[in-house]
Amino acid sequence: MKNPQGAYRLLLPALVISFILISVAEVWLLTLVGGWIGLGWTLLILVAEAFLGAWLLRREGRKSWSALVKAYEAGRTPTGHLADAALVLAGGIMLILPGFFTDIIGLVFLLPFTRPLARKALGWVVARQMSRAGLNLGSALPKNAPGVVPGEVVEDQAPKSPTQADRDVISGEIE
């Protein structure tokens, strides 16, 4: 198994550089749009996008939370619902922040018909990074995945002798 510490050491500098580049791109685009349509219209668009983001965050957040609760109540693992809730939160924050690049990404995260694409893309990126770091993704497989054999516990009714305790079967799954 590879040492994942090397990947984690680069995470903070990569995030800082990304934030700086996004900020520079946002200022550049705001200046460009402001020069093209005027300062007043640019500010009006930014305020409208912030209100749209807050409204979408509230609406889609309620839907995501409701789906998450229903999945828990049904006894299912809500992995997709958790991802949707995280994307809705991130998308709403991006739409509320001033800027056009972040607004586009926020809309992709928030809109119900683009969110599954964003979830798959982000899942692919995360799985690829985890694989590069040497982390085993096999333990996260669902119970009905190919190659997973479900097991169950069989209770023994007879009292156990000390030598029989050494032969107990440990239930689980075989991959």
Side-chain angles (χ1 to χ4, degrees), residues 1-2 127 130-131 133-141 175:
M1 188 165 154
K2 296 179 188 175
M130 288 178 70
S131 176
L135 299 174
N136 183 8
L137 299 177
S139 61
L141 289 174
E175 296 185 54

Side-chain angles (χ1 to χ4, degrees), residues 1 30 83 90 113 117:
M1 188 165 154
L30 284 171
F113 53 90
L117 298 173

Side-chain angles (χ1 to χ4, degrees), residues 1 13 39 47 57 78 82 89 165:
M1 188 165 154
L39 179 65
V47 169
L57 175 61
L82 282 172
L89 179 63

Side-chain angles (χ1 to χ4, degrees), residues 36-50:
W36 186 46
I37 64 173
L39 179 65
W41 286 108
T42 304
L43 290 175
L44 183 66
I45 290 171
L46 290 174
V47 169
E49 287 175 345

Side-chain angles (χ1 to χ4, degrees), residues 3 34 37-38 41-42 45 73 77 84 88 91 96 104 112 119 123 126 131 139 160:
N3 183 5
I37 64 173
W41 286 108
T42 304
I45 290 171
E73 288 173 352
T77 305
D84 278 350
V88 165
I96 292 171
I104 292 169
R119 184 177 356 117
V126 168
S131 176
S139 61
K160 296 180 182 178

